[in-house]
């Protein structure tokens, strides 16, 4: 292969790779696939602005490529110095005014969209969201519910998030439901999301926040009306403590090893005052994921987790960030999972 063709091949290969990775059949966090009115509002702004940007890109890059080809050096004998141009008033005024006009026009729908998506909706479900290294707490102050990683909402009704952080800066993002909102310690940032249809909408912390930033996921579970009422009712009814068998054994072990940090409503409510904020496990077994929503809620995964939490998910338990390895025996792990499975 002639050496001069290599850059072209490299370019074509890179383009093909980018094209291929840009397409995914299963893309649960596709911001270009809005699933609610807020995401749709943002999308309606994004699309025209994108095409304006494409037009600018094609014009500017086209002019650069045209100039590079048209005025290139034509062989070793081409030593003539091109005509030297200094200043062109008409051109300079033109390329100052035209971009300013484009930006001014784009600013009108941009500002309108920003104001619409930031406005507090009528009759929302209010949820206090707290980002923690490395999971999400969702508290429903009007319903007296605290849960983790799975944000349950009614479909077709706006949800008003009051977002803060317990430690460093995180950022809440459920791409199909709206844009991003930072979770900043000491501040409360409000944000509205809404899903048109019942379903599960994945999300992710989108501000780098340390070791397990990539493991700080979430899922928004949107219910139909009956499902929403049923979820609220179930969550407000704490599970009964087990009275016999392995689950009872696990219940006692939970008191010994876990209850200083993890609350279970109606069973273990006295976490130590200086314990790190930890997921409320009251209805753990009803969730589909745990540990920042990176593992499926299965017996196998729960056991693997209890065997060595920092080995399953990078954390720094010595700094109070995340769950330590408690050195549990297999029998203890079995009993604990028996108990956790009763938390319906
Ligand atoms: Cu939390 Cu990244």
């Amino acid at each position: 292969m002639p050496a001069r063709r290599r850059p072209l091949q490299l370019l074509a290969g890179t383009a093909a790779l980018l094209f291929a990775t840009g397409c995914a059949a299963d893309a649960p966090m596709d911001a270009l696939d809005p699933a609610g009115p807020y995401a749709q509002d943002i999308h309606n702004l994004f699309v025209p602005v994108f095409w304006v940007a494409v037009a600018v890109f094609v014009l500017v890059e086209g002019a650069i490529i045209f100039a590079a080809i048209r005025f290139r050096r034509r062989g070793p004998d081409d030593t003539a110095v091109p005509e030297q141009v200094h200043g062109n008033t008409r051109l300079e005024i033109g390329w100052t005014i035209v971009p300013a006009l484009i930006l001014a026009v784009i600013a009108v729908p941009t500002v309108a969209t920003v104001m619409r998506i930031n406005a507090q909706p009528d009759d929302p479900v209010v949820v206090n969201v707290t980002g923690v290294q490395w999971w999400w707490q969702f508290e429903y102050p009007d319903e007296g519910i605290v849960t983790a990683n799975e944000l349950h909402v009614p479909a077709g009704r706006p949800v008003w998030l009051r977002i803060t952080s317990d430690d460093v800066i995180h950022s809440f993002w459920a791409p199909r439901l709206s844009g991003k909102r930072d979770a900043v310690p000491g501040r409360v940032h409000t944000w509205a999301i809404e899903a048109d249809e019942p379903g599960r909408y994945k999300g992710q912390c989108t501000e780098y926040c340390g070791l397990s930033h990539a493991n700080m996921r979430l899922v928004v579970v949107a219910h139909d009306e009956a499902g929403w009422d049923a979820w609220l009712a179930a969550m407000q009814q704490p599970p009964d403590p087990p009275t016999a068998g392995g689950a009872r054994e696990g219940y006692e072990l939970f008191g010994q090893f876990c209850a200083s940090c993890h609350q279970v409503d109606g069973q273990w409510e006295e976490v130590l005052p200086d314990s790190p904020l930890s997921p409320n496990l009251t209805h753990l077994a009803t969730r589909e994921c745990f540990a920042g929503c990176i593992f499926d809620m299965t017996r196998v995964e729960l056991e693997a987790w209890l065997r060595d939490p920092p080995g399953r998910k990078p954390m720094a338990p010595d700094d109070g960030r995340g769950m330590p390895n408690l050195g549990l025996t297999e029998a203890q792990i079995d009993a604990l999972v028996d108990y956790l499975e009763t938390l319906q």
Side-chain angles (χ1 to χ4, degrees), residues 131-136 167-171 204-210 212-214 216:
V132 191
Q133 285 175 318
W134 286 273
W135 58 281
W136 295 95
D167 35 51
V168 301
I169 300 178
H170 305 274
S171 189
Q204 160 81 52
C205 175
T206 175
E207 178 80 38
Y208 180 69
C209 54
S212 262
H213 160 65
M216 191 169 163

Side-chain angles (χ1 to χ4, degrees), residues 117-206:
I117 63 174
N118 277 285
Q120 179 163 2
D122 293 331
D123 188 31
V125 174
V126 176
V127 183
N128 294 329
V129 177
T130 306
V132 191
Q133 285 175 318
W134 286 273
W135 58 281
W136 295 95
Q137 174 167 283
F138 300 118
E139 182 206 1
Y140 299 70
D142 299 333
E143 289 83 9
I145 294 167
V146 180
T147 186
N149 302 318
E150 285 187 5
L151 172 56
H152 289 251
V153 302
R157 191 172 153 200
V159 180
W160 188 237
L161 306 178
R162 301 167 40 81
I163 302 172
T164 189
S165 165
D166 189 54
D167 35 51
V168 301
I169 300 178
H170 305 274
S171 189
F172 179 95
W173 194 31
R176 295 191 64 205
L177 301 181
S178 192
K180 307 171 177 181
R181 185 60 107 215
D182 276 3
V184 179
R187 293 180 62 95
V188 173
H189 292 164
T190 53
W191 199 223
I193 61 168
E194 183 177 337
D196 287 332
E197 302 289 336
R200 295 175 71 82
Y201 304 93
K202 290 190 178 176
Q204 160 81 52
C205 175
T206 175

Side-chain angles (χ1 to χ4, degrees), residues 21 237 269 337:
T21 53
Q237 181 66 47
E269 303 195 18
V337 175

Side-chain angles (χ1 to χ4, degrees), residues 220-234:
V220 180
V221 184
H223 296 275
D224 61 18
E225 214 176 313
W228 171 242
D229 290 341
W231 185 78
L232 285 181

